[in-house]
Amino acid sequence: MKKQKVWMIAGVAIVVIGAAGMGLWNYHEKPQFCAACHVMDPYLASWEESSLEAHVHAQEDVACLDCHEPTIKQQVTELISFVTHDYETPLTELKVPQEECLACHEHGNYAELAEATADRERNPHESHWGEMECRLCHKMHKPSELYCTQCHEVDVPDGWTAVEAP
């Protein structure tokens, strides 16, 4: 009878621990998990409600981990930095590979992107520098920057900023 009771308790414990683990994993996938660290509050705020591109992604149900895919090593390093307060704010900007941007935004390649914006007076994706990294202009958690303004005097779209010449 005692063995049966021990096995029953062990079984219940495994189910409870498994359910708690699954719940934590599901919560880990949500942007609110990232903001559990106070340093992430402004990033969550820009995702939840703002005029920034992070909010546009939120409206399309794109969560943090869809672009930020941290390794276990990176997550441990971030946890240690958070606990020891050994980090700088704002955080270093993530450099998402251009291929990821093009894949999610349904442009097979840069030429297709340039074609999609060809109707503009000045096509921002038809640069004399060739293919440009999306992140040079498009920012998620701060206003996007018109990279061309480093050299050219052009109209800056509403909500965007000009880039100061180096």
Side-chain angles (χ1 to χ4, degrees):
M1 192 70 151
K2 278 189 173 184
K3 261 189 178 180
Q4 189 178 17
K5 194 173 188 178
V6 168
W7 282 109
M8 186 181 297
I9 291 171
V12 168
I14 289 171
V15 169
V16 168
I17 291 170
M22 287 174 42
L24 181 60
W25 185 258
N26 285 338
Y27 181 58
H28 166 266
E29 300 283 321
K30 298 188 181 309
Q32 291 76 8
F33 174 84
C34 300
C37 301
H38 67 276
V39 71
M40 299 304 292
D41 283 343
Y43 303 99
L44 177 62
S46 69
W47 185 84
E48 287 182 328
E49 190 174 331
S50 72
S51 61
L52 303 177
E53 290 194 31
H55 184 60
V56 173
H57 283 84
Q59 291 173 318
E60 295 295 323
D61 203 26
V62 176
C64 303
L65 293 179
D66 292 331
C67 296
H68 299 267
E69 296 182 30
T71 63
I72 296 294
K73 179 182 176 186
Q74 183 182 357
Q75 290 179 58
V76 169
T77 301
E78 289 173 357
L79 178 62
I80 291 169
S81 295
F82 173 71
V83 170
T84 61
H85 298 282
D86 184 24
Y87 54 84
E88 294 180 21
T89 55
L91 298 174
T92 304
E93 186 176 314
L94 177 67
K95 295 179 179 173
V96 175
Q98 181 167 312
E99 298 78 37
E100 287 184 36
C101 300
L102 294 172
C104 284
H105 289 276
E106 300 174 5
H107 302 293
N109 55 48
Y110 197 85
E112 286 182 19
L113 172 61
E115 186 179 317
T117 55
D119 62 338
R120 298 185 183 185
E121 184 178 333
R122 286 188 174 186
N123 188 345
H125 302 109
E126 193 64 47
S127 169
H128 56 89
W129 291 105
E131 291 187 16
M132 305 285 287
E133 291 290 324
C134 302
R135 64 183 162 77
L136 292 175
C137 294
H138 298 278
K139 308 298 180 184
M140 294 298 110
H141 301 285
K142 63 182 184 180
S144 291
E145 303 170 336
L146 191 54
Y147 188 79
C148 300
T149 58
Q150 290 182 79
C151 304
H152 303 280
E153 287 188 30
V154 294
D155 291 333
V156 179
D158 289 340
W160 285 53
T161 62
V163 179
E164 298 293 322

